[in-house]
Amino acid sequence: SQTIHQWPATLVQPVGSPLSLECTVEGTSNPNLYWYRQAAGRGLQLLFYSVGIGQISSEVPQNLSASRPQDRQFILSSKKLLLSDSGFYLCAWTRRSTDTQYFGPGTRLTVL
Amino acid sequence: GQQLNQSPQSMFIQEGEDVSMNCTSSSIFNTWLWYKQDPGEGPVLLIALYKAGELTSNGRLTAQFGITRKDSFLNISASIPSDVGIYFCAGGYFGNEKLTFGTGTRLTIIP
């Protein structure tokens, strides 16, 4: 069976500090991978998605970047965090040529 | 980005009541998905629908893929306390790697 992991689970960072969130998927190969952000009590905002190693599509221009160094690893980064980067970050995966996305447990980021 | 119209935005019900919510779109979809999110956790897939008119159940949950392919419905029968949470619909289209999500329905059970 497939499993998706995210870490850390929670993170408190000062404004201006760097960020690295990691997502890994087990039990599948060549997945599509996604990063979402969710503000408190709000819906899901797609940030980035990837259909393969080194292939990143950006949905919203902002202070964040994504990388996919390995087939089942997806990383969300920032060089300098802003207060507005606070939120709940979710990683998701799908099998190729299917729509059904499966979400990870999320990372709660608070920027102070 | 585009979001689906999901209604109602919130529901306050008593335990044991049935629940109905729906999602509508101006565009057609090939896939409709329903997720539930508990506080502080990632959304969990409840039901996936892949064919117009399809009616699928998962325990007390039943979802339907609208004939027009522009809407979907989720019903929960005999609600229990663990049904509390936010329910999201999502639509997918062949050849598009992205899903379009609804704005969510927050379900609260009144004691």
Side-chain angles (χ1 to χ4, degrees):
Chain A
S1 63
Q2 297 79 29
T3 310
I4 179 169
H5 302 280
Q6 288 186 244
W7 62 87
T10 60
L11 191 60
V12 180
Q13 292 285 91
V15 170
S17 63
L19 173 73
S20 181
L21 303 181
E22 189 165 346
C23 170
T24 59
V25 181
E26 296 178 354
T28 189
S29 58
N30 301 315
N32 288 349
L33 296 171
Y34 304 81
W35 278 113
Y36 291 87
R37 178 168 59 199
Q38 186 177 32
R42 305 292 294 276
L44 301 169
Q45 178 188 32
L46 179 63
L47 302 176
F48 303 94
Y49 69 95
S50 171
V51 299
I53 296 174
Q55 301 179 62
I56 308 295
S57 295
S58 175
E59 289 296 299
V60 182
Q62 55 199 322
N63 189 39
L64 301 170
S65 62
S67 61
R68 184 170 177 175
Q70 301 180 41
D71 180 46
R72 290 171 290 174
Q73 184 185 32
F74 205 20
I75 296 173
L76 185 68
S77 304
S78 174
K79 293 182 179 178
K80 290 185 178 182
L81 283 169
L82 306 172
L83 287 173
S84 58
D85 291 324
S86 294
F88 192 49
Y89 288 82
L90 290 158
C91 182
W93 74 276
T94 67
R95 291 185 182 87
R96 290 293 172 83
S97 72
T98 68
D99 298 299
T100 307
Q101 290 186 17
Y102 300 91
F103 286 85
T107 295
R108 173 75 60 194
L109 172 65
T110 303
V111 182
L112 301 176
Chain B
Q2 178 191 0
Q3 284 190 314
L4 302 174
N5 296 317
Q6 189 171 347
S7 64
Q9 287 188 331
S10 59
M11 303 183 72
F12 297 85
I13 63 168
Q14 292 186 323
E15 184 175 349
E17 287 186 28
D18 296 342
V19 171
S20 292
M21 61 189 76
N22 69 81
C23 254
T24 60
S25 170
S26 58
S27 306
I28 62 173
F29 290 109
N30 295 112
T31 303
W32 280 97
L33 306 168
W34 285 93
Y35 293 87
K36 177 177 182 277
Q37 185 177 27
D38 291 329
E41 299 184 11
V44 173
L45 180 68
L46 298 174
I47 294 179
L49 302 160
Y50 300 109
K51 185 177 178 181
E54 180 181 357
L55 186 70
T56 298
S57 294
N58 178 6
R60 294 177 297 104
L61 278 63
T62 302
Q64 185 163 23
F65 192 139
I67 288 292
T68 66
R69 295 168 61 192
K70 292 183 177 181
D71 55 11
S72 181
F73 307 87
L74 176 69
N75 296 316
I76 305 173
S77 62
S79 58
I80 60 177
S82 61
D83 291 333
V84 166
I86 302 177
Y87 291 79
F88 290 101
C89 62
Y93 196 83
F94 293 152
N96 188 342
E97 293 91 2
K98 300 176 288 184
L99 293 176
T100 301
F101 281 87
T103 49
T105 294
R106 183 181 294 275
L107 179 62
T108 303
I109 294 185
I110 305 168

PDB file of all heavy atoms in Angstrom, chain A residues 72-108:
ATOM      1  N   ARG A  72      10.200  10.178  -5.639  1.00  0.00           N
ATOM      2  CA  ARG A  72       9.142  10.190  -4.641  1.00  0.00           C
ATOM      3  C   ARG A  72       9.386  11.213  -3.539  1.00  0.00           C
ATOM      4  O   ARG A  72       8.873  11.077  -2.434  1.00  0.00           O
ATOM      5  CB  ARG A  72       9.004   8.779  -4.046  1.00  0.00           C
ATOM      6  CG  ARG A  72       8.435   7.772  -5.034  1.00  0.00           C
ATOM      7  CD  ARG A  72       8.513   6.350  -4.513  1.00  0.00           C
ATOM      8  NE  ARG A  72       9.883   5.871  -4.469  1.00  0.00           N
ATOM      9  CZ  ARG A  72      10.246   4.711  -3.949  1.00  0.00           C
ATOM     10  NH1 ARG A  72       9.349   3.924  -3.393  1.00  0.00           N
ATOM     11  NH2 ARG A  72      11.506   4.338  -3.959  1.00  0.00           N
ATOM     12  N   GLN A  73      10.152  12.244  -3.853  1.00  0.00           N
ATOM     13  CA  GLN A  73      10.466  13.281  -2.883  1.00  0.00           C
ATOM     14  C   GLN A  73      10.137  14.647  -3.462  1.00  0.00           C
ATOM     15  O   GLN A  73      10.521  14.987  -4.589  1.00  0.00           O
ATOM     16  CB  GLN A  73      11.955  13.219  -2.507  1.00  0.00           C
ATOM     17  CG  GLN A  73      12.360  14.191  -1.430  1.00  0.00           C
ATOM     18  CD  GLN A  73      13.868  14.162  -1.177  1.00  0.00           C
ATOM     19  OE1 GLN A  73      14.657  13.918  -2.093  1.00  0.00           O
ATOM     20  NE2 GLN A  73      14.273  14.410   0.055  1.00  0.00           N
ATOM     21  N   PHE A  74       9.429  15.445  -2.677  1.00  0.00           N
ATOM     22  CA  PHE A  74       9.010  16.779  -3.118  1.00  0.00           C
ATOM     23  C   PHE A  74       9.323  17.735  -1.977  1.00  0.00           C
ATOM     24  O   PHE A  74       8.937  17.489  -0.826  1.00  0.00           O
ATOM     25  CB  PHE A  74       7.510  16.764  -3.422  1.00  0.00           C
ATOM     26  CG  PHE A  74       7.040  17.791  -4.392  1.00  0.00           C
ATOM     27  CD1 PHE A  74       7.905  18.423  -5.279  1.00  0.00           C
ATOM     28  CD2 PHE A  74       5.696  18.141  -4.449  1.00  0.00           C
ATOM     29  CE1 PHE A  74       7.455  19.361  -6.187  1.00  0.00           C
ATOM     30  CE2 PHE A  74       5.228  19.078  -5.362  1.00  0.00           C
ATOM     31  CZ  PHE A  74       6.104  19.677  -6.228  1.00  0.00           C
ATOM     32  N   ILE A  75      10.029  18.829  -2.286  1.00  0.00           N
ATOM     33  CA  ILE A  75      10.482  19.743  -1.253  1.00  0.00           C
ATOM     34  C   ILE A  75       9.935  21.140  -1.525  1.00  0.00           C
ATOM     35  O   ILE A  75       9.966  21.610  -2.670  1.00  0.00           O
ATOM     36  CB  ILE A  75      12.020  19.767  -1.187  1.00  0.00           C
ATOM     37  CG1 ILE A  75      12.532  18.381  -0.770  1.00  0.00           C
ATOM     38  CG2 ILE A  75      12.503  20.834  -0.210  1.00  0.00           C
ATOM     39  CD1 ILE A  75      14.032  18.230  -0.839  1.00  0.00           C
ATOM     40  N   LEU A  76       9.445  21.780  -0.504  1.00  0.00           N
ATOM     41  CA  LEU A  76       8.976  23.166  -0.567  1.00  0.00           C
ATOM     42  C   LEU A  76       9.956  24.034   0.194  1.00  0.00           C
ATOM     43  O   LEU A  76      10.292  23.728   1.343  1.00  0.00           O
ATOM     44  CB  LEU A  76       7.577  23.287   0.031  1.00  0.00           C
ATOM     45  CG  LEU A  76       6.907  24.655  -0.064  1.00  0.00           C
ATOM     46  CD1 LEU A  76       6.571  24.988  -1.504  1.00  0.00           C
ATOM     47  CD2 LEU A  76       5.654  24.696   0.797  1.00  0.00           C
ATOM     48  N   SER A  77      10.407  25.115  -0.435  1.00  0.00           N
ATOM     49  CA  SER A  77      11.459  25.935   0.170  1.00  0.00           C
ATOM     50  C   SER A  77      11.136  27.409   0.075  1.00  0.00           C
ATOM     51  O   SER A  77      10.328  27.840  -0.738  1.00  0.00           O
ATOM     52  CB  SER A  77      12.796  25.688  -0.535  1.00  0.00           C
ATOM     53  OG  SER A  77      13.148  24.327  -0.521  1.00  0.00           O
ATOM     54  N   SER A  78      11.830  28.146   0.931  1.00  0.00           N
ATOM     55  CA  SER A  78      11.837  29.595   0.854  1.00  0.00           C
ATOM     56  C   SER A  78      13.185  30.090   1.355  1.00  0.00           C
ATOM     57  O   SER A  78      13.750  29.522   2.292  1.00  0.00           O
ATOM     58  CB  SER A  78      10.721  30.206   1.686  1.00  0.00           C
ATOM     59  OG  SER A  78      10.825  31.628   1.714  1.00  0.00           O
ATOM     60  N   LYS A  79      13.687  31.156   0.759  1.00  0.00           N
ATOM     61  CA  LYS A  79      14.948  31.737   1.223  1.00  0.00           C
ATOM     62  C   LYS A  79      14.712  32.665   2.399  1.00  0.00           C
ATOM     63  O   LYS A  79      15.530  32.760   3.315  1.00  0.00           O
ATOM     64  CB  LYS A  79      15.630  32.479   0.081  1.00  0.00           C
ATOM     65  CG  LYS A  79      16.119  31.576  -1.037  1.00  0.00           C
ATOM     66  CD  LYS A  79      16.832  32.381  -2.115  1.00  0.00           C
ATOM     67  CE  LYS A  79      17.344  31.455  -3.217  1.00  0.00           C
ATOM     68  NZ  LYS A  79      18.021  32.216  -4.315  1.00  0.00           N
ATOM     69  N   LYS A  80      13.585  33.379   2.363  1.00  0.00           N
ATOM     70  CA  LYS A  80      13.263  34.322   3.435  1.00  0.00           C
ATOM     71  C   LYS A  80      11.766  34.312   3.675  1.00  0.00           C
ATOM     72  O   LYS A  80      10.990  34.799   2.853  1.00  0.00           O
ATOM     73  CB  LYS A  80      13.722  35.742   3.086  1.00  0.00           C
ATOM     74  CG  LYS A  80      15.210  35.953   3.078  1.00  0.00           C
ATOM     75  CD  LYS A  80      15.547  37.434   2.848  1.00  0.00           C
ATOM     76  CE  LYS A  80      17.047  37.665   2.897  1.00  0.00           C
ATOM     77  NZ  LYS A  80      17.383  39.114   2.713  1.00  0.00           N
ATOM     78  N   LEU A  81      11.352  33.799   4.812  1.00  0.00           N
ATOM     79  CA  LEU A  81       9.934  33.693   5.120  1.00  0.00           C
ATOM     80  C   LEU A  81       9.301  35.050   5.418  1.00  0.00           C
ATOM     81  O   LEU A  81       9.934  35.936   6.012  1.00  0.00           O
ATOM     82  CB  LEU A  81       9.719  32.769   6.323  1.00  0.00           C
ATOM     83  CG  LEU A  81       9.839  31.279   6.040  1.00  0.00           C
ATOM     84  CD1 LEU A  81       9.886  30.501   7.350  1.00  0.00           C
ATOM     85  CD2 LEU A  81       8.695  30.801   5.170  1.00  0.00           C
ATOM     86  N   LEU A  82       8.042  35.176   5.004  1.00  0.00           N
ATOM     87  CA  LEU A  82       7.218  36.336   5.313  1.00  0.00           C
ATOM     88  C   LEU A  82       6.127  35.920   6.289  1.00  0.00           C
ATOM     89  O   LEU A  82       5.783  34.736   6.389  1.00  0.00           O
ATOM     90  CB  LEU A  82       6.574  36.893   4.034  1.00  0.00           C
ATOM     91  CG  LEU A  82       7.498  37.225   2.866  1.00  0.00           C
ATOM     92  CD1 LEU A  82       6.671  37.571   1.646  1.00  0.00           C
ATOM     93  CD2 LEU A  82       8.433  38.355   3.233  1.00  0.00           C
ATOM     94  N   LEU A  83       5.553  36.902   6.980  1.00  0.00           N
ATOM     95  CA  LEU A  83       4.434  36.590   7.878  1.00  0.00           C
ATOM     96  C   LEU A  83       3.310  35.894   7.127  1.00  0.00           C
ATOM     97  O   LEU A  83       2.661  34.977   7.645  1.00  0.00           O
ATOM     98  CB  LEU A  83       3.905  37.866   8.527  1.00  0.00           C
ATOM     99  CG  LEU A  83       4.777  38.502   9.599  1.00  0.00           C
ATOM    100  CD1 LEU A  83       4.183  39.851  10.025  1.00  0.00           C
ATOM    101  CD2 LEU A  83       4.926  37.583  10.806  1.00  0.00           C
ATOM    102  N   SER A  84       3.084  36.321   5.890  1.00  0.00           N
ATOM    103  CA  SER A  84       1.991  35.780   5.089  1.00  0.00           C
ATOM    104  C   SER A  84       2.222  34.336   4.646  1.00  0.00           C
ATOM    105  O   SER A  84       1.323  33.709   4.072  1.00  0.00           O
ATOM    106  CB  SER A  84       1.754  36.652   3.853  1.00  0.00           C
ATOM    107  OG  SER A  84       2.946  36.734   3.083  1.00  0.00           O
ATOM    108  N   ASP A  85       3.410  33.801   4.906  1.00  0.00           N
ATOM    109  CA  ASP A  85       3.675  32.395   4.565  1.00  0.00           C
ATOM    110  C   ASP A  85       3.115  31.436   5.607  1.00  0.00           C
ATOM    111  O   ASP A  85       3.121  30.216   5.393  1.00  0.00           O
ATOM    112  CB  ASP A  85       5.177  32.163   4.409  1.00  0.00           C
ATOM    113  CG  ASP A  85       5.752  32.852   3.185  1.00  0.00           C
ATOM    114  OD1 ASP A  85       5.060  32.904   2.151  1.00  0.00           O
ATOM    115  OD2 ASP A  85       6.900  33.354   3.277  1.00  0.00           O
ATOM    116  N   SER A  86       2.646  31.947   6.719  1.00  0.00           N
ATOM    117  CA  SER A  86       2.040  31.079   7.730  1.00  0.00           C
ATOM    118  C   SER A  86       0.841  30.343   7.156  1.00  0.00           C
ATOM    119  O   SER A  86       0.092  30.886   6.342  1.00  0.00           O
ATOM    120  CB  SER A  86       1.580  31.906   8.934  1.00  0.00           C
ATOM    121  OG  SER A  86       2.674  32.467   9.613  1.00  0.00           O
ATOM    122  N   GLY A  87       0.671  29.110   7.588  1.00  0.00           N
ATOM    123  CA  GLY A  87      -0.469  28.331   7.116  1.00  0.00           C
ATOM    124  C   GLY A  87      -0.235  26.846   7.294  1.00  0.00           C
ATOM    125  O   GLY A  87       0.757  26.427   7.905  1.00  0.00           O
ATOM    126  N   PHE A  88      -1.146  26.079   6.752  1.00  0.00           N
ATOM    127  CA  PHE A  88      -1.083  24.620   6.822  1.00  0.00           C
ATOM    128  C   PHE A  88      -0.709  24.132   5.432  1.00  0.00           C
ATOM    129  O   PHE A  88      -1.424  24.378   4.465  1.00  0.00           O
ATOM    130  CB  PHE A  88      -2.457  24.095   7.262  1.00  0.00           C
ATOM    131  CG  PHE A  88      -2.483  22.656   7.642  1.00  0.00           C
ATOM    132  CD1 PHE A  88      -1.553  22.129   8.517  1.00  0.00           C
ATOM    133  CD2 PHE A  88      -3.461  21.822   7.150  1.00  0.00           C
ATOM    134  CE1 PHE A  88      -1.595  20.794   8.896  1.00  0.00           C
ATOM    135  CE2 PHE A  88      -3.511  20.470   7.511  1.00  0.00           C
ATOM    136  CZ  PHE A  88      -2.572  19.967   8.388  1.00  0.00           C
ATOM    137  N   TYR A  89       0.432  23.455   5.324  1.00  0.00           N
ATOM    138  CA  TYR A  89       0.954  23.024   4.039  1.00  0.00           C
ATOM    139  C   TYR A  89       0.698  21.532   3.861  1.00  0.00           C
ATOM    140  O   TYR A  89       1.082  20.721   4.700  1.00  0.00           O
ATOM    141  CB  TYR A  89       2.445  23.342   3.924  1.00  0.00           C
ATOM    142  CG  TYR A  89       2.693  24.823   3.767  1.00  0.00           C
ATOM    143  CD1 TYR A  89       2.714  25.664   4.877  1.00  0.00           C
ATOM    144  CD2 TYR A  89       2.875  25.389   2.505  1.00  0.00           C
ATOM    145  CE1 TYR A  89       2.908  27.023   4.735  1.00  0.00           C
ATOM    146  CE2 TYR A  89       3.075  26.758   2.352  1.00  0.00           C
ATOM    147  CZ  TYR A  89       3.087  27.558   3.476  1.00  0.00           C
ATOM    148  OH  TYR A  89       3.276  28.909   3.329  1.00  0.00           O
ATOM    149  N   LEU A  90       0.092  21.229   2.740  1.00  0.00           N
ATOM    150  CA  LEU A  90      -0.292  19.846   2.454  1.00  0.00           C
ATOM    151  C   LEU A  90       0.388  19.358   1.187  1.00  0.00           C
ATOM    152  O   LEU A  90       0.434  20.074   0.190  1.00  0.00           O
ATOM    153  CB  LEU A  90      -1.802  19.742   2.275  1.00  0.00           C
ATOM    154  CG  LEU A  90      -2.641  19.922   3.539  1.00  0.00           C
ATOM    155  CD1 LEU A  90      -4.052  20.334   3.204  1.00  0.00           C
ATOM    156  CD2 LEU A  90      -2.637  18.638   4.350  1.00  0.00           C
ATOM    157  N   CYS A  91       0.889  18.153   1.245  1.00  0.00           N
ATOM    158  CA  CYS A  91       1.446  17.478   0.078  1.00  0.00           C
ATOM    159  C   CYS A  91       0.445  16.409  -0.362  1.00  0.00           C
ATOM    160  O   CYS A  91      -0.257  15.821   0.477  1.00  0.00           O
ATOM    161  CB  CYS A  91       2.787  16.852   0.447  1.00  0.00           C
ATOM    162  SG  CYS A  91       3.639  16.021  -0.912  1.00  0.00           S
ATOM    163  N   ALA A  92       0.357  16.178  -1.652  1.00  0.00           N
ATOM    164  CA  ALA A  92      -0.549  15.154  -2.165  1.00  0.00           C
ATOM    165  C   ALA A  92       0.106  14.445  -3.346  1.00  0.00           C
ATOM    166  O   ALA A  92       1.031  14.972  -3.968  1.00  0.00           O
ATOM    167  CB  ALA A  92      -1.883  15.768  -2.594  1.00  0.00           C
ATOM    168  N   TRP A  93      -0.375  13.242  -3.656  1.00  0.00           N
ATOM    169  CA  TRP A  93       0.138  12.488  -4.794  1.00  0.00           C
ATOM    170  C   TRP A  93      -1.012  11.840  -5.548  1.00  0.00           C
ATOM    171  O   TRP A  93      -2.093  11.608  -5.000  1.00  0.00           O
ATOM    172  CB  TRP A  93       1.136  11.434  -4.335  1.00  0.00           C
ATOM    173  CG  TRP A  93       0.519  10.249  -3.647  1.00  0.00           C
ATOM    174  CD1 TRP A  93       0.172  10.158  -2.336  1.00  0.00           C
ATOM    175  CD2 TRP A  93       0.168   8.995  -4.257  1.00  0.00           C
ATOM    176  NE1 TRP A  93      -0.383   8.922  -2.081  1.00  0.00           N
ATOM    177  CE2 TRP A  93      -0.388   8.193  -3.229  1.00  0.00           C
ATOM    178  CE3 TRP A  93       0.275   8.475  -5.544  1.00  0.00           C
ATOM    179  CZ2 TRP A  93      -0.842   6.897  -3.467  1.00  0.00           C
ATOM    180  CZ3 TRP A  93      -0.179   7.181  -5.773  1.00  0.00           C
ATOM    181  CH2 TRP A  93      -0.730   6.415  -4.750  1.00  0.00           C
ATOM    182  N   THR A  94      -0.755  11.564  -6.826  1.00  0.00           N
ATOM    183  CA  THR A  94      -1.662  10.761  -7.638  1.00  0.00           C
ATOM    184  C   THR A  94      -0.830   9.787  -8.467  1.00  0.00           C
ATOM    185  O   THR A  94       0.343  10.030  -8.742  1.00  0.00           O
ATOM    186  CB  THR A  94      -2.497  11.586  -8.629  1.00  0.00           C
ATOM    187  OG1 THR A  94      -1.606  12.148  -9.623  1.00  0.00           O
ATOM    188  CG2 THR A  94      -3.242  12.696  -7.960  1.00  0.00           C
ATOM    189  N   ARG A  95      -1.483   8.696  -8.864  1.00  0.00           N
ATOM    190  CA  ARG A  95      -0.863   7.839  -9.875  1.00  0.00           C
ATOM    191  C   ARG A  95      -0.941   8.574 -11.214  1.00  0.00           C
ATOM    192  O   ARG A  95      -1.843   9.385 -11.429  1.00  0.00           O
ATOM    193  CB  ARG A  95      -1.607   6.512  -9.977  1.00  0.00           C
ATOM    194  CG  ARG A  95      -1.448   5.632  -8.762  1.00  0.00           C
ATOM    195  CD  ARG A  95      -2.107   4.275  -8.997  1.00  0.00           C
ATOM    196  NE  ARG A  95      -1.997   3.448  -7.814  1.00  0.00           N
ATOM    197  CZ  ARG A  95      -2.873   3.468  -6.820  1.00  0.00           C
ATOM    198  NH1 ARG A  95      -3.925   4.256  -6.879  1.00  0.00           N
ATOM    199  NH2 ARG A  95      -2.699   2.682  -5.778  1.00  0.00           N
ATOM    200  N   ARG A  96      -0.004   8.287 -12.108  1.00  0.00           N
ATOM    201  CA  ARG A  96      -0.038   8.886 -13.433  1.00  0.00           C
ATOM    202  C   ARG A  96      -1.344   8.546 -14.144  1.00  0.00           C
ATOM    203  O   ARG A  96      -1.865   7.466 -14.005  1.00  0.00           O
ATOM    204  CB  ARG A  96       1.132   8.379 -14.277  1.00  0.00           C
ATOM    205  CG  ARG A  96       2.461   8.887 -13.833  1.00  0.00           C
ATOM    206  CD  ARG A  96       2.595  10.392 -14.053  1.00  0.00           C
ATOM    207  NE  ARG A  96       3.789  10.927 -13.460  1.00  0.00           N
ATOM    208  CZ  ARG A  96       4.981  10.891 -14.037  1.00  0.00           C
ATOM    209  NH1 ARG A  96       5.131  10.344 -15.227  1.00  0.00           N
ATOM    210  NH2 ARG A  96       6.023  11.401 -13.420  1.00  0.00           N
ATOM    211  N   SER A  97      -1.874   9.496 -14.859  1.00  0.00           N
ATOM    212  CA  SER A  97      -3.098   9.390 -15.668  1.00  0.00           C
ATOM    213  C   SER A  97      -4.341   9.113 -14.823  1.00  0.00           C
ATOM    214  O   SER A  97      -5.331   8.594 -15.331  1.00  0.00           O
ATOM    215  CB  SER A  97      -2.952   8.319 -16.748  1.00  0.00           C
ATOM    216  OG  SER A  97      -2.973   7.031 -16.195  1.00  0.00           O
ATOM    217  N   THR A  98      -4.295   9.433 -13.549  1.00  0.00           N
ATOM    218  CA  THR A  98      -5.512   9.399 -12.729  1.00  0.00           C
ATOM    219  C   THR A  98      -5.661  10.743 -12.033  1.00  0.00           C
ATOM    220  O   THR A  98      -4.709  11.503 -11.926  1.00  0.00           O
ATOM    221  CB  THR A  98      -5.473   8.288 -11.661  1.00  0.00           C
ATOM    222  OG1 THR A  98      -4.483   8.615 -10.680  1.00  0.00           O
ATOM    223  CG2 THR A  98      -5.150   6.945 -12.285  1.00  0.00           C
ATOM    224  N   ASP A  99      -6.895  11.026 -11.573  1.00  0.00           N
ATOM    225  CA  ASP A  99      -7.169  12.300 -10.921  1.00  0.00           C
ATOM    226  C   ASP A  99      -7.143  12.210  -9.406  1.00  0.00           C
ATOM    227  O   ASP A  99      -7.018  13.216  -8.727  1.00  0.00           O
ATOM    228  CB  ASP A  99      -8.558  12.811 -11.318  1.00  0.00           C
ATOM    229  CG  ASP A  99      -8.666  13.070 -12.804  1.00  0.00           C
ATOM    230  OD1 ASP A  99      -7.923  13.911 -13.305  1.00  0.00           O
ATOM    231  OD2 ASP A  99      -9.503  12.417 -13.440  1.00  0.00           O
ATOM    232  N   THR A 100      -7.304  11.016  -8.880  1.00  0.00           N
ATOM    233  CA  THR A 100      -7.556  10.886  -7.452  1.00  0.00           C
ATOM    234  C   THR A 100      -6.309  11.210  -6.653  1.00  0.00           C
ATOM    235  O   THR A 100      -5.313  10.503  -6.723  1.00  0.00           O
ATOM    236  CB  THR A 100      -8.037   9.462  -7.136  1.00  0.00           C
ATOM    237  OG1 THR A 100      -9.143   9.159  -7.986  1.00  0.00           O
ATOM    238  CG2 THR A 100      -8.458   9.353  -5.688  1.00  0.00           C
ATOM    239  N   GLN A 101      -6.382  12.283  -5.879  1.00  0.00           N
ATOM    240  CA  GLN A 101      -5.251  12.720  -5.069  1.00  0.00           C
ATOM    241  C   GLN A 101      -5.394  12.219  -3.634  1.00  0.00           C
ATOM    242  O   GLN A 101      -6.493  12.211  -3.073  1.00  0.00           O
ATOM    243  CB  GLN A 101      -5.150  14.249  -5.071  1.00  0.00           C
ATOM    244  CG  GLN A 101      -4.731  14.814  -6.410  1.00  0.00           C
ATOM    245  CD  GLN A 101      -4.485  16.309  -6.378  1.00  0.00           C
ATOM    246  OE1 GLN A 101      -4.327  16.906  -5.312  1.00  0.00           O
ATOM    247  NE2 GLN A 101      -4.428  16.914  -7.553  1.00  0.00           N
ATOM    248  N   TYR A 102      -4.255  11.864  -3.065  1.00  0.00           N
ATOM    249  CA  TYR A 102      -4.188  11.410  -1.675  1.00  0.00           C
ATOM    250  C   TYR A 102      -3.261  12.363  -0.929  1.00  0.00           C
ATOM    251  O   TYR A 102      -2.150  12.638  -1.386  1.00  0.00           O
ATOM    252  CB  TYR A 102      -3.677   9.975  -1.598  1.00  0.00           C
ATOM    253  CG  TYR A 102      -4.551   8.993  -2.340  1.00  0.00           C
ATOM    254  CD1 TYR A 102      -4.308   8.702  -3.678  1.00  0.00           C
ATOM    255  CD2 TYR A 102      -5.631   8.397  -1.717  1.00  0.00           C
ATOM    256  CE1 TYR A 102      -5.115   7.815  -4.374  1.00  0.00           C
ATOM    257  CE2 TYR A 102      -6.445   7.503  -2.402  1.00  0.00           C
ATOM    258  CZ  TYR A 102      -6.181   7.223  -3.733  1.00  0.00           C
ATOM    259  OH  TYR A 102      -6.997   6.351  -4.420  1.00  0.00           O
ATOM    260  N   PHE A 103      -3.739  12.820   0.214  1.00  0.00           N
ATOM    261  CA  PHE A 103      -3.032  13.870   0.936  1.00  0.00           C
ATOM    262  C   PHE A 103      -2.191  13.318   2.085  1.00  0.00           C
ATOM    263  O   PHE A 103      -2.521  12.298   2.688  1.00  0.00           O
ATOM    264  CB  PHE A 103      -4.032  14.884   1.513  1.00  0.00           C
ATOM    265  CG  PHE A 103      -4.629  15.777   0.480  1.00  0.00           C
ATOM    266  CD1 PHE A 103      -5.733  15.392  -0.246  1.00  0.00           C
ATOM    267  CD2 PHE A 103      -4.071  17.027   0.226  1.00  0.00           C
ATOM    268  CE1 PHE A 103      -6.285  16.221  -1.221  1.00  0.00           C
ATOM    269  CE2 PHE A 103      -4.611  17.865  -0.738  1.00  0.00           C
ATOM    270  CZ  PHE A 103      -5.712  17.453  -1.466  1.00  0.00           C
ATOM    271  N   GLY A 104      -1.121  14.056   2.389  1.00  0.00           N
ATOM    272  CA  GLY A 104      -0.332  13.768   3.565  1.00  0.00           C
ATOM    273  C   GLY A 104      -0.941  14.401   4.795  1.00  0.00           C
ATOM    274  O   GLY A 104      -1.979  15.070   4.711  1.00  0.00           O
ATOM    275  N   PRO A 105      -0.302  14.225   5.955  1.00  0.00           N
ATOM    276  CA  PRO A 105      -0.843  14.730   7.221  1.00  0.00           C
ATOM    277  C   PRO A 105      -0.693  16.236   7.400  1.00  0.00           C
ATOM    278  O   PRO A 105      -1.347  16.813   8.261  1.00  0.00           O
ATOM    279  CB  PRO A 105      -0.034  13.974   8.278  1.00  0.00           C
ATOM    280  CG  PRO A 105       1.248  13.652   7.585  1.00  0.00           C
ATOM    281  CD  PRO A 105       0.907  13.414   6.150  1.00  0.00           C
ATOM    282  N   GLY A 106       0.154  16.884   6.598  1.00  0.00           N
ATOM    283  CA  GLY A 106       0.287  18.331   6.671  1.00  0.00           C
ATOM    284  C   GLY A 106       1.377  18.811   7.600  1.00  0.00           C
ATOM    285  O   GLY A 106       1.815  18.101   8.514  1.00  0.00           O
ATOM    286  N   THR A 107       1.831  20.050   7.346  1.00  0.00           N
ATOM    287  CA  THR A 107       2.784  20.754   8.206  1.00  0.00           C
ATOM    288  C   THR A 107       2.185  22.104   8.581  1.00  0.00           C
ATOM    289  O   THR A 107       1.814  22.882   7.712  1.00  0.00           O
ATOM    290  CB  THR A 107       4.128  20.991   7.498  1.00  0.00           C
ATOM    291  OG1 THR A 107       4.758  19.749   7.231  1.00  0.00           O
ATOM    292  CG2 THR A 107       5.039  21.846   8.362  1.00  0.00           C
ATOM    293  N   ARG A 108       2.100  22.344   9.887  1.00  0.00           N
ATOM    294  CA  ARG A 108       1.600  23.636  10.364  1.00  0.00           C
ATOM    295  C   ARG A 108       2.783  24.575  10.516  1.00  0.00           C
ATOM    296  O   ARG A 108       3.651  24.344  11.338  1.00  0.00           O
ATOM    297  CB  ARG A 108       0.900  23.465  11.714  1.00  0.00           C
ATOM    298  CG  ARG A 108       0.493  24.766  12.396  1.00  0.00           C
ATOM    299  CD  ARG A 108      -0.704  25.384  11.753  1.00  0.00           C
ATOM    300  NE  ARG A 108      -1.865  24.503  11.785  1.00  0.00           N
ATOM    301  CZ  ARG A 108      -2.955  24.688  11.076  1.00  0.00           C
ATOM    302  NH1 ARG A 108      -3.046  25.717  10.266  1.00  0.00           N
ATOM    303  NH2 ARG A 108      -3.955  23.850  11.157  1.00  0.00           N
TER     304      ARG A 108
END
